[in-house]
Amino acid sequence: MSFDTVLIANRGAIATRIIRTARAMGLRTVAVYSAADAGSLHVSAADEAVCIGPGPAAQSYLNVEAILAAAKATGTGAIHPGYGFLAENAEFAESCAAAGIAFIGPTPENIRTFGLKHSARALAEAHGLPLAPGTGLLTGADEAAAAAARIGYPVILKATAGGGGIGMRVCESEAQVREGFAAVVRQGEASFGDAGVFLERYVPRARHLEVQIFGDGKGRVMALGERDCSLQRRNQKVVEEAPAPCLSDTKRAELIAAAVRLGEAAGYRSAGTVEFLYDAAREDFFFLEMNTRLQVEHGVTEEVTGIDLVEWMIRGAAGDFTMLDAPAPATRGHSVQVRLYAEDPGQDYRPTVGTLTNVAFPPDIRAETWVMAGSEVSAFYDPMLAKLITRGETREEAIAAMQAALSASRVDGIETNLRWLREVVRHEGFTSGNVSTRMLEGVAYQRRAIRVIGGGTATSVQDWPGRLGLWNVGVPPSGPMDDLSFRLGNRILGNPEGTAGLEVTASGPTLLFEADATICLTGADFGATLDGVPAPRGEALAVKAGQTLAMGRAGGGGMRGYILVAGGLDVVPYLGSASTFTLGQFGGPAARALVAGDVLHLNPPLQGRGITEGGGGASDRDPKASLSGQRRSPLHPDPAGRGSPPPVGEDMLRWLADLPVAALRLDDDVLTALRRLGIKRLGELAGVSGAGEEDLAREAAARDALRRRFRNRHSPAANPLLRLDQLLGRVPEPLLPVIARPMPLVQRRLMEPLRHRTPLDTVLADLAADMVRALEARGEGARRLELALWRVDGEVLMRRIELAAATREAAHITRLFAARLDDVDAGFGIELVQLRASWSEPLHLAQADLDAAAEDHGTSLAACIDRLSVRLGPRAVTRPVARASHIPERAQGWQPPLAPVPPSQAGLAFHTRPLKLLDRPEPIAVLHAAPDGVPQRFRWRGEVREVARAEGPERIAPEWWRERSTVRLRDYYRIEDAAGRRYWIYRAGLAGDGRGGVPEWFLQGLCA
C-alpha cells in the first residue's frame, strides 16, 4: 500500500467506523475534531487527533485549509471524507490530489457529474434509465407552474445540488408551486451554494430503493445488492434494510442492471449508490440520483454480503481493485438498521442538546456511535447519535433482533427518538414489508411522560434510601431529605418505597402531563393546583393527559415537598441509586435539577401492588426490578380485585376492623390458632375475653410461629403487621401531623461559602427574624429549635437548644445560638445555614381526631392494637419509641424510622434479625422514654424492666465505634434497672444492611 496513515475528515459515527477498519488493516489513523467535539469517541479512538477549529462546521469540518494542514503535519498519505461535509466536494478532492494525498472516494469528475441532479438525470436518460416525468433546470415560478400542469399533480420541487432530504417541496396546487419555488431557491442557495431547481412527478406512496455499486474508474463496476430505505420522516431516512422486501426477482435484476449501466457509463471509481423511486402499485421504478460517497446505511449491505466497504475504498485509493476480479458476493440473510437521533418526538422532532448521562446498547448487535456517558451533544451538527444494526437468517429474525435491541438500549440525559423507534419496528406496515415513504405518518406515538414547563428553585429526582455507603470513595449520601414524606407518598400509590419521585425545594415546578397518571403530593404545602384547581396532599390524585400541575412557594412548615407518581419515574440508577446529586453532577435523568424543556418518562403503574412481601429485595429498592413471582401485598387485600387502595377518613377504622385475619398471609399454624380463638377479623382481637389454658397454649403456638416467620427478615417492610400507616396503606389528613420531625422552617443557601464568624452571625440574625415570623404563623409552641450549619464538604454541624413555648424574640434566639458558635470550625466554609423546629402539640390534636373517629364506629383502635400486642406475644409485637422532638435527621448519617408516632397511635412493629455490631447484641423494645430520650421502660426477653436510675444522657463511645466507619449510631446510653443490673442500650443501623441503615434499639450485656 502506498500510504500508512489515514486521516478521517469527518466526525461522529462514521469517523469511529472508518478508524475501526483502518486499524484492522494496520494503518495509522488521524482524527480531526472541532472544539465542540473534544470529548467524542472518534478523538480517543484515533492514534492521533488534531483540533481544526471551533464548533461551527464552516470553521472546522468544512475548513479545507485546516484539514490539509493537519494532514501534512501528521504525515497523512490518504484522507477518507466519510459522508456529509466534504465527502462530495470536487474541489476538496482536487486539493488532496494537489497536495500529494490520496482521496479515498470517487474522482472529482464523478463527483461533478452526479453532484447536480439535473446533469445526473441527463446522463441517466442517455443510458436508458427510466426517469420520473420531470424537467430540466427551471428559470422561474411561471415555468415551474406550467410544467406542473403538464406533468400532473402532485409534483416535487428539488434543489439540483441538494441532498439528504434538504431542498425538497411537495406541491399539490399551482399556488403551492409558486410559493415553494422561491423557498427551494433560497434553501438551495443557502445550503449548497446553488440556486438551481427542477421539478418531478411525485409518487405519494412510493418506495425508496437503492443499489450499492463499486467501480475501478476504468469501466468495471460491481453491484453489491440493493437496500430499501423507504421509512423516512421529512425525506430523512430512519430505517434501512437489505435486501429489499416484497420485490420480485425480475425487478431486482432490472434495478441492479440499470445501476451498473450508469456506473459504467460514468467510469465510476470507489463506492457509490444509485437511488430509485419504486411505485409498488405499478411495479415501475425511476432514477432519482446517485450519491458519490459511502452511505450512512452501508452497514446493512456489509452484513448480508460479508464484505467491508471501507476496506475496499481504502484499497481502491491505493490502486488495488483486485476485489473486482472475483464474482459479486451473494447476499445471505437479512439486515436492518435504525438511526438514533437526538430529537424530541413529542416536540415535532425538534433537535435536542445536552449531556448524555447514560448510553447502553446490547453487546450482541452492531452499534456504530460516537457517544458514551458524559458526551456533550451540541447544536452544531447532524443530530444522529448512533446506528444500530441487526442481522438474521430471515427478515423476521432480523426484525425480532432489532425489536429486542431497541428494548434493551438506553440513552439518558436528553430526549432521543429511541422510544419512537421501538414503535416503528413493531408497526404492522413495517413487519409485513408493505413499506412506503409515507408509512411513518401512520405510526401513532403517545409517550408516557411529564414535560417540565418550569423547573422551580431546585426540583430533582430522588429515590430511597438513596446513594449510601460510598463516603470512602468521596461520594456523600444522596436521597430525599424528608424521606418519611417521600416513602409515605409511595405507599399511598402502592409503589415500592424506593420508587423514584421528585423532591421540590423552596418553590415548585410547573409540569405538563402528556399521559394519564396517578400522583401523590406530600411534604410541605406548595399551594399546588391542577389546571387552576387546588390539588390535595396526602392522597392519590388522578391526572389526565394535557393537565398542568403548578406549584408555588412553600408555605407553613417545611421547605421540601414531594411529587410521587404511580409506577415511578423511568430513571437509570447511577452508583446504585436514581437520586440526583447536583453538586457532583450525576444521578437523576440529567445529572442536575430540572429545567424547562426536560422530559420525565413514566414507568407503567404497578397494578395492585403495595408493600412487597419478603421486602428488602431488589423490587423494594429498584422499581424496575422483575416483579414476577411476587404475591399481592398482605397489607392491601382487595376483595374486588381492582387493586384499589383501602379507604381513608372516617371509614378507615371500619375497614381496619373488617380486615380478615386471613388476608395477613400468616403461616397456617398461626391462622389455625387464631381461628380456634374465633378471631376472623382484625377488629375481633379487641373483643376476645377470658381465655383458658388451652387457648393460652394455642396463643403460645401462634406466637412461636410468628417468631419463626419473622426471625430472618431484613426489612421492616417485609412484615405483614408493621405499623398503623402501613396497615392502612394510606394515611388520612388528620394523621399527617404525627410525622413529627424537626422541620426546616427557614434556611439560607449561601452564594459564597462563609469562612468567618461575623457574616455567620449576620445570616443567623436574619434567619432568627424569619423563624419568629414562621412560628407566629403556625400559632403553636415549638418544643425545640435546632441550628444546622452545612459545610461544603457535606458535613453538618448542629447545635440544639431547648426553648420555652413562649419564646418569640429573634434577638433571644440569636443570642442562644451565637453563644454556642464559638467552637464551630468554619475553616471549610459554611454553605447552608438552617433553623428548624419541632412541635409536640400537633400529636395530641391528631390523637383527638383519631379518637373522635373511633367513637363513631364503636371500636377503639388503640385497644385493638393493644389486644393484638398481648395476644401474639411480646417478642412478636412491640411498640416503637415515640418522641416528637428527638427524631434524628438524615444529616446525622442514617435513616429514621418510617413514622414515629405516640404510643397510643403506634401500630405494630416486629423485630428483625439482629445486626451483629457487637458480641451477641439483643434487640429490645423501648416502651417509654423521657423527653431527653433516655429509656425508662424497656422489654427484653419477654420481660418489661423499669429503669431505676439513668446515667444519661451520657453517650458512650466504645472502641468498636471508632473501628467501624459504616456503623450509624445514635442514643447510646448506660442504664440500670430496678434489680441493679446495668446495660448499654443503643439505637444503631448499618449502611449496606439491606435496610438503608434504619436504626433499631439493641441491648448489650452487663456493664462493668
Side-chain angles (χ1 to χ4, degrees):
M1 191 167 287
S2 57
F3 50 82
D4 60 3
T5 301
V6 174
L7 182 146
I8 298 90
N10 216 301
R11 62 174 299 278
I14 185 58
T16 60
R17 162 73 186 91
I18 295 169
I19 290 172
R20 184 177 73 246
T21 290
R23 179 166 293 173
M25 297 175 67
L27 299 174
R28 178 172 167 269
T29 57
V30 177
V32 293
Y33 65 95
S34 71
D37 270 343
S40 174
L41 283 179
H42 83 279
V43 176
S44 58
D47 296 304
E48 187 173 352
V50 180
C51 182
I52 54 174
Q59 303 174 44
S60 53
Y61 297 108
L62 293 176
N63 188 338
V64 174
E65 292 75 13
I67 292 174
L68 292 178
K72 293 178 181 178
T74 56
T76 293
I79 293 179
H80 198 307
Y83 45 68
F85 294 129
L86 298 172
E88 294 179 285
N89 188 304
E91 289 74 17
F92 178 59
E94 290 174 337
S95 298
C96 290
I101 300 173
F103 180 80
I104 303 177
T107 66
E109 292 75 18
N110 293 154
I111 297 174
R112 285 195 176 94
T113 299
F114 294 106
L116 298 178
K117 290 182 173 59
H118 72 282
S119 63
R121 281 174 56 89
L123 181 62
E125 186 176 19
H127 289 82
L129 273 72
L131 301 177
T135 70
L137 288 180
L138 299 168
T139 59
D142 292 339
E143 185 182 1
R150 183 177 66 256
I151 294 171
Y153 292 99
V155 296
I156 182 169
L157 291 166
K158 293 184 177 181
T160 186
I166 301 173
M168 298 182 183
R169 180 71 66 91
V170 176
C171 306
E172 298 184 354
S173 67
E174 181 178 343
Q176 291 182 1
V177 168
R178 293 183 179 275
E179 177 186 356
F181 182 85
V184 174
V185 167
R186 289 192 302 269
Q187 193 169 28
E189 179 66 31
S191 300
F192 310 107
D194 193 318
V197 176
F198 68 100
L199 181 148
E200 286 181 342
R201 186 178 75 184
Y202 178 67
V203 182
R205 297 196 62 80
R207 290 174 61 182
H208 185 121
L209 305 181
E210 60 187 34
V211 178
Q212 178 72 59
I213 64 171
F214 194 91
D216 64 358
K218 298 179 181 180
R220 281 199 303 173
V221 173
M222 179 183 289
L224 298 171
E226 85 289 348
R227 300 184 286 258
D228 190 307
C229 309
S230 300
L231 268 62
Q232 302 178 12
R233 186 188 58 77
R234 297 173 183 168
N235 299 316
Q236 284 276 10
K237 299 171 186 175
V238 177
V239 180
E240 299 101 343
E241 58 182 312
C246 302
L247 184 68
S248 68
D249 292 339
T250 301
K251 286 299 174 183
R252 179 176 286 108
E254 291 178 10
L255 279 172
I256 291 175
V260 171
R261 193 162 62 249
L262 183 63
E264 291 174 342
Y268 193 79
R269 187 186 75 182
S270 195
T273 301
V274 185
E275 300 191 352
F276 297 91
L277 193 68
Y278 182 66
D279 188 339
R282 299 180 180 179
E283 294 191 346
D284 291 334
F285 64 88
F286 309 102
F287 170 75
L288 280 178
E289 63 182 351
M290 180 167 179
N291 290 316
T292 55
R293 55 175 168 81
L294 189 67
Q295 290 281 83
V296 177
E297 58 273 17
H298 73 275
V300 294
T301 295
E302 294 179 328
E303 290 296 314
V304 297
T305 60
I307 69 169
D308 186 330
L309 274 170
V310 174
E311 179 186 345
W312 280 28
M313 292 179 73
I314 294 175
R315 289 171 58 189
D320 177 10
F321 290 99
T322 57
M323 74 285 292
L324 299 180
D325 296 338
T331 59
R332 293 182 175 84
H334 202 93
S335 182
V336 177
Q337 171 182 288
V338 299
R339 303 190 190 189
L340 181 64
Y341 286 111
E343 60 185 15
D344 187 351
Q347 293 291 298
D348 198 26
Y349 301 91
R350 180 179 62 193
T352 56
V353 299
T355 303
L356 300 179
T357 58
N358 177 63
V359 178
F361 302 122
D364 57 346
I365 69 168
R366 177 173 169 179
E368 296 182 357
T369 183
W370 61 275
V371 297
M372 59 182 177
S375 294
E376 187 75 20
V377 179
S378 72
F380 293 118
Y381 315 114
D382 180 90
M384 190 172 72
L385 301 177
K387 301 181 299 179
L388 307 184
I389 305 171
T390 59
R391 185 190 182 281
E393 292 302 316
T394 64
R395 184 172 187 268
E396 291 72 19
E397 290 182 10
I399 292 176
M402 180 58 71
Q403 292 171 347
L406 290 175
S407 297
S409 298
R410 282 202 71 114
V411 178
D412 298 273
I414 64 174
E415 275 302 286
T416 70
N417 67 339
L418 176 59
R419 290 175 173 84
W420 177 71
L421 287 174
R422 293 170 183 167
E423 301 296 325
V424 170
V425 298
R426 286 175 168 80
H427 191 275
E428 190 275 335
F430 174 63
T431 57
S432 66
N434 295 318
V435 296
S436 76
T437 55
R438 302 288 296 273
M439 196 207 84
L440 293 184
E441 298 174 4
V443 177
Y445 175 64
Q446 180 60 51
R447 64 184 179 189
R448 284 185 47 79
I450 300 172
R451 183 149 51 91
V452 180
I453 306 301
T457 300
T459 304
S460 62
V461 171
Q462 302 293 336
D463 65 358
W464 179 85
R467 193 174 292 105
L468 302 174
L470 299 174
W471 259 123
N472 58 325
V473 292
V475 179
S478 301
M481 291 290 290
D482 178 4
D483 63 281
L484 304 182
S485 295
F486 185 90
R487 296 159 66 191
L488 184 62
N490 273 327
R491 284 187 173 275
I492 289 173
L493 295 171
N495 291 337
E497 283 188 338
T499 303
L502 294 179
E503 180 176 73
V504 181
T505 304
S507 64
T510 301
L511 308 175
L512 174 63
F513 286 76
E514 297 184 352
D516 294 349
T518 303
I519 66 172
C520 181
L521 307 177
T522 61
D525 186 0
F526 284 80
T529 61
L530 190 62
D531 282 352
V533 179
R537 291 183 297 146
E539 63 182 62
L541 178 64
V543 181
K544 296 295 184 182
Q547 288 190 296
T548 299
L549 176 70
M551 302 181 74
R553 296 190 62 82
M559 290 290 289
R560 285 180 171 82
Y562 297 90
I563 306 173
L564 291 311
V565 185
L569 305 176
D570 183 11
V571 179
V572 66
Y574 183 83
L575 295 177
S577 171
S579 291
T580 307
F581 179 32
T582 54
L583 293 179
Q585 298 182 6
F586 56 75
R592 53 166 170 73
L594 300 185
V595 298
D598 283 349
V599 177
L600 300 170
H601 290 275
L602 307 179
N603 289 317
L606 305 177
Q607 296 294 335
R609 282 184 53 81
I611 305 170
T612 57
E613 185 170 6
S619 59
D620 272 357
R621 300 284 298 275
D622 183 2
K624 293 179 286 299
S626 172
L627 302 178
S628 60
Q630 293 190 1
R631 296 187 293 176
R632 176 172 173 79
S633 165
L635 302 185
H636 293 269
D638 181 13
R642 295 186 297 270
S644 58
V648 297
E650 295 184 357
D651 294 332
M652 63 179 178
L653 292 177
R654 177 177 296 150
W655 174 87
L656 183 64
D658 291 339
L659 181 65
V661 173
L664 301 178
R665 296 191 184 278
L666 302 175
D667 290 337
D668 290 340
D669 50 358
V670 177
L671 291 175
T672 300
L674 294 176
R675 279 196 294 268
R676 288 175 179 173
L677 293 173
I679 300 174
K680 298 181 179 179
R681 300 187 179 277
L682 192 59
E684 296 172 358
L685 288 166
V688 177
S689 60
E693 291 185 2
E694 182 179 354
D695 291 333
L696 292 177
R698 291 169 180 166
E699 285 188 66
R703 181 191 62 222
D704 292 340
L706 282 173
R707 284 179 178 173
R708 290 194 303 272
R709 180 176 177 81
F710 300 118
R711 182 175 299 152
N712 295 321
R713 295 294 190 188
H714 294 275
S715 170
N719 301 321
L721 298 174
L722 186 58
R723 292 200 184 117
L724 172 61
D725 55 345
Q726 295 170 332
L727 196 61
L728 290 176
R730 296 179 63 182
V731 177
E733 187 68 23
L735 286 182
L736 290 180
V738 305
I739 305 175
R741 59 200 173 281
M743 290 178 288
L745 286 187
V746 292
Q747 64 182 16
R748 293 284 188 277
R749 184 167 293 280
L750 310 172
M751 298 301 294
E752 294 293 336
L754 292 180
R755 300 183 183 278
H756 304 287
R757 168 67 186 274
T758 301
L760 186 59
D761 290 340
T762 304
V763 172
L764 182 58
D766 293 339
L767 285 177
D770 292 343
M771 173 66 86
V772 169
R773 287 191 289 270
L775 294 176
E776 291 174 348
R778 289 187 62 93
E780 300 164 352
R783 179 174 177 178
R784 185 188 300 270
L785 286 186
E786 298 176 357
L787 170 66
L789 306 176
W790 294 76
R791 294 199 316 207
V792 294
D793 61 355
E795 183 177 353
V796 61
L797 308 174
M798 185 177 295
R799 297 293 180 270
R800 289 190 175 87
I801 297 178
E802 296 285 348
L803 290 181
T807 300
R808 287 294 185 271
E809 294 182 4
H812 180 53
I813 295 175
T814 305
R815 287 195 302 271
L816 287 174
F817 281 124
R820 290 162 173 79
L821 291 178
D822 292 333
D823 59 341
V824 173
D825 178 15
F828 288 99
I830 301 299
E831 185 181 43
L832 177 66
V833 183
Q834 189 179 76
L835 279 175
R836 302 187 286 223
S838 300
W839 284 265
S840 57
E841 286 79 4
L843 302 176
H844 302 300
L845 295 175
Q847 177 62 47
D849 294 337
L850 186 63
D851 291 342
E855 292 176 0
D856 295 337
H857 301 285
T859 302
S860 170
L861 184 61
C864 175
I865 294 173
D866 287 340
R867 190 66 179 175
L868 184 61
S869 177
V870 173
R871 308 291 297 178
L872 297 184
R875 280 296 301 276
V877 184
T878 60
R879 295 188 183 281
V881 181
R883 286 174 293 143
S885 61
H886 201 68
I887 305 303
E889 286 288 313
R890 175 181 290 278
Q892 301 294 23
W894 55 274
Q895 305 293 332
L898 178 61
V901 294
S904 58
Q905 293 182 29
L908 312 171
F910 288 85
H911 280 306
T912 62
R913 179 175 58 87
L915 302 177
K916 298 185 180 302
L917 302 180
L918 299 172
D919 293 334
R920 301 188 61 188
E922 292 285 346
I924 65 169
V926 176
L927 302 182
H928 185 68
D932 59 5
V934 180
Q936 294 182 343
R937 268 194 312 136
F938 64 95
R939 190 196 309 272
W940 181 46
R941 296 181 178 176
E943 177 182 353
V944 175
R945 301 192 176 183
E946 299 288 339
V947 177
R949 179 169 57 85
E951 297 182 1
E954 177 185 358
R955 303 279 170 76
I956 310 299
E959 290 297 325
W960 62 265
W961 165 252
R962 291 192 288 269
E963 295 172 357
R964 292 167 170 82
S965 60
T966 57
V967 174
R968 295 171 176 183
L969 179 65
R970 183 63 182 270
D971 301 334
Y972 198 96
Y973 302 113
R974 184 168 56 202
I975 66 173
E976 182 176 327
D977 67 10
R981 291 169 293 200
R982 302 176 69 189
Y983 309 90
W984 285 346
I985 288 184
Y986 63 93
R987 185 161 57 181
L990 180 64
D993 63 359
R995 302 168 52 211
V998 176
E1000 185 177 2
W1001 283 99
F1002 289 90
L1003 179 143
Q1004 170 64 25
L1006 299 177
C1007 298

